[in-house]
Amino acid sequence: MASSSSRIEQTSTDHSSLYEAIKSGDIDSLKQLLVITAPKSDEFDVDNPLLRQNHFNNNSLHVAVQLSETETLVKEIFKQCGSSKSLEMLMQQNMNGDTPLHIAVRMGSEEIVRLFLNHAGRDYQAIDHYNQRGDEECVHIDVEKGVTMTELLPEAENGATKMNVEQLVRIANKMNNTALHEAIRYQAESRIPQLLIRADPGFDYLANDSGETPLYLAVSFGTSTLVEHILKIRPTQSYGAPGGRTVLHALALQRSFSNSSFEGNNYSNIVHLLRHIVKEVDINGRTALHYAVHSRNSEFVDAVMEVDPSVCYISDKDGMTALHHAAAADVGPSSITESQGIKEIMKIMLRHCMDCWGVVDNRGDNFLHIAAQNNNSYVLEFVLKEINLDLAVNAIIGTKNKYGRTPAQINTEFFKILDSNARMRGIWRSRSSAYGISFKSYETPLNKQSEKYRKAAERTEAEEAAEIKEVNKMKSEQMEYYNQTLLVVSALIATVAFAANFTLPGGYNDHGPDEGMALLADKPSFIVFIVSNSLAMVLSALAILIQFVGKIISIILREPDEFKKGTLLFMTLHCNVLAILAMMVAFVTGNYTVLSHLPGLAIPVCILGSVFFILSFFLIYKILKWVKQDDVNWHKG
């Protein structure tokens, strides 16, 4: 036991010293700690602290990457541990499944990442030189000519080094994130992602536990250059995204973010590279085109329509196409810029696919029906201005849904626009019967509304006065009913309190000098009983007095205003509520006074009585909350 304890303390001391040496970056201190100056052989040495793992399964490389920014220290660790053992350490995963490469990527240490890749694929200095050139022309040549890392390796070691590099790069942590996932999420602007992609250009990276592929992360966190780089090196790269979506869905939403680096040409290039998935839909049946409409991304819409105009015909689970969603867009009454953006999107779709307006949803609505339901009159104005073919305009306007209604029958504002439009007035009136559009169907509700306003204007002052008098009479009767109810409650409480005051708990003393005095008068609970019962009596009597005074005031003033009546009513209500609470206190303390010699019975009875207070305070809280909410709604109204 003593030997084991001593060894644990020694190991802890070694780890502490090792961390200090690594953190300081002092190689001499590290050598002194190891008491070794020559490189280790490939044999495992249990006494070498660099080969041990701490409580979190971090080895010395994990620690070196986290605590030191210099690659010199990492090189020294490689040197001290030997070639095979250092490669084994490079592949080791900690408790989170992270290799030293994962951590180096997160820290943004490009030199250490390159060092790890070079060490995994030893003796390919040509590749290291290739990566360090760093000019954009070099990247372009690599993409166009298909030059890969393994093609530059020496022939003798090509197979082994390729295997080591691929194994290192493909290791996933417990969240199923590879080093490339981490690099794109945290270091998308650096050259680290490109280093990792070239290290294993033939691997199709799968999604992590959150459904994120490297390509999706590149769209969400990276730049258009990185996305194009990934697709050109590996065109078949996995394109999945969370929620059953694709990277194109994510790309369509980039216009919504102010820090997005994607522009018109970028969209065109990327959509062209991903043209095979433009018709892919999410769990709701929506394509990336639906998403682009939502984010007002006209450049993406144009890029998709250039690649495959038939995407315009694809409907979601509700039967709505992207054109339907454009017509349903909520742009606000004063947002001219947003409405212009929607018009531009519809113009692009109709330019590439002229007859897409004919698609109807599950309820038989075309896009103009949807616009009418959402009161988007600018969509109708767009149709009248941008669609030159009268036959097409008439067909759009005259289409009936499953309920037999046209867009103008849904929204009378649309009818007014059509009726006032110089182009449509003659044509639409002459063909209204052919398309099932009857002016009578619009005139009838409009006439009814006009008649309603006319009758309202013709009402006499006498009728208005009679109506006001009837309303006031109803209010007065209602208030009188409340007053009577409260008066009955007050009388009952006063009766009970008065009776309890002369039938005291425990009774009276029958003999001796204290004859006629309460037997339990010295008990604290009895004192509380007397006080609370007296308070209930006083409050209930006060409530009765308020009601009595209110009657006198109504006689003297003849027509007291509603404010005074309401004030007296609320005063009575408050007195009654407090009297009820005081009466319940008297009830609980009275029970306890006569049962205090039996705790097993007295305590449960008191607890049951106390439940009343919990419920009453909860009820009062809810009522106050309702009153406050009603007041807020009234002010909003």
Side-chain angles (χ1 to χ4, degrees), residues 383-552:
V383 170
L384 296 175
K385 181 180 179 182
E386 298 295 336
I387 300 180
N388 297 321
L389 188 62
D390 290 344
L391 186 63
V393 173
N394 281 317
I396 295 170
I397 296 170
T399 299
K400 290 185 177 182
N401 60 17
K402 288 184 177 180
Y403 307 101
R405 306 184 71 187
T406 63
Q409 288 174 316
I410 294 174
N411 193 316
T412 54
E413 185 67 26
F414 277 40
F415 171 78
K416 294 177 182 178
I417 294 173
L418 290 170
D419 193 42
S420 62
N421 184 269
R423 173 192 174 190
M424 291 301 299
R425 189 180 297 119
I427 299 175
W428 192 53
R429 286 180 183 274
S430 63
R431 299 186 181 182
S432 60
S433 299
Y435 289 103
I437 304 173
S438 173
F439 278 96
K440 291 182 180 179
S441 62
Y442 304 109
E443 290 171 355
T444 299
L446 289 174
N447 289 339
K448 286 183 178 179
Q449 193 173 21
S450 299
E451 182 69 14
K452 179 181 176 182
Y453 291 141
R454 183 182 63 77
K455 288 182 178 180
E458 290 175 354
R459 288 198 311 169
T460 63
E461 293 182 1
E463 289 175 334
E464 291 180 355
E467 183 177 338
I468 293 172
K469 185 177 180 179
E470 184 65 23
V471 171
N472 290 336
K473 181 180 177 182
M474 290 178 60
K475 288 183 179 180
S476 180
E477 290 176 351
Q478 192 176 34
M479 190 167 291
E480 182 64 26
Y481 173 78
Y482 292 153
N483 285 330
Q484 291 177 0
T485 303
L486 291 175
L487 184 60
V488 172
V489 173
S490 302
L492 287 174
I493 296 173
T495 302
V496 173
F498 185 86
N501 210 45
F502 293 98
T503 55
L504 301 176
Y508 298 90
N509 199 334
D510 294 332
H511 56 276
D514 296 326
E515 185 176 358
M517 302 296 290
L519 285 172
L520 305 177
D522 57 339
K523 285 193 173 185
S525 57
F526 181 88
I527 297 173
V528 176
F529 164 81
I530 288 294
V531 172
S532 57
N533 188 67
S534 300
L535 182 60
M537 178 65 193
V538 170
L539 290 170
S540 59
L542 180 59
I544 295 172
L545 179 62
I546 292 172
Q547 290 293 316
F548 180 74
V549 171
K551 291 292 183 180
I552 295 176

Side-chain angles (χ1 to χ4, degrees), residues 371 374-382 413-414 417:
N374 289 274
N375 201 30
N376 289 336
S377 57
Y378 69 87
V379 176
L380 177 58
E381 294 170 355
F382 166 82
E413 185 67 26
F414 277 40
I417 294 173

Side-chain angles (χ1 to χ4, degrees), residues 542-612:
L542 180 59
I544 295 172
L545 179 62
I546 292 172
Q547 290 293 316
F548 180 74
V549 171
K551 291 292 183 180
I552 295 176
I553 291 176
S554 64
I555 294 172
I556 295 174
L557 299 181
R558 294 187 181 182
E559 291 185 4
D561 58 34
E562 297 298 324
F563 175 78
K564 293 176 181 177
K565 289 183 178 180
T567 302
L568 293 175
L569 181 67
F570 276 100
M571 289 173 64
T572 306
L573 177 62
H574 291 157
C575 287
N576 280 345
V577 170
L578 293 175
I580 292 172
L581 293 175
M583 185 174 64
M584 283 304 301
V585 172
F587 173 79
V588 173
T589 54
N591 281 334
Y592 185 82
T593 300
V594 297
L595 297 175
S596 58
H597 64 289
L598 298 173
L601 180 60
I603 293 175
V605 169
C606 290
I607 291 174
L608 287 175
S610 300
V611 170
F612 170 83

